[in-house]
Amino acid sequence: MSRLSIDLHECFRDGRRIDQALNGVIDEACEKRIKTVEIIHGKGSGQLKKRVLRFLQQPEVKARYHRVEKDSKNHGRLFVHFRH
């Protein structure tokens, strides 16, 4: 498996659960040497997407992945790419 996927719709109102879910999927990607994580934040108001991007910009998180790609066909998700 070369991709993990996480859907944040069910925890979008709970900031702590969002952070835990994102940390969990990044930990799993690093452990299993998975190249891509798909984060589904939904199209909504854009607040969840902003929160996800802020999370990914934290220095200790940013050090763990290679780059973030915004999906040009679906603005309700983004991809985090890893180089293991």
Side-chain angles (χ1 to χ4, degrees), residues 23-84:
N23 271 316
V25 78
I26 287 173
D27 286 347
E28 188 178 348
C30 290
E31 269 175 39
K32 296 179 178 174
R33 302 181 75 73
I34 289 168
K35 294 200 180 307
T36 308
V37 171
E38 173 190 34
I39 300 173
I40 301 166
H41 49 71
K43 294 178 180 169
S45 68
Q47 291 305 305
L48 185 52
K49 180 179 185 176
K50 285 180 192 152
R51 182 178 178 97
V52 169
L53 290 171
R54 269 197 313 272
F55 174 87
L56 292 170
Q57 291 305 312
Q58 296 174 78
E60 67 277 11
V61 176
K62 201 171 183 174
R64 301 181 73 191
Y65 66 85
H66 172 55
R67 68 186 175 92
V68 174
E69 172 192 1
K70 294 173 184 164
D71 188 340
S72 58
K73 294 178 188 73
N74 176 357
H75 66 271
R77 69 180 178 175
L78 48 88
F79 300 102
V80 181
H81 297 280
F82 294 82
R83 246 194 225 152
H84 300 290

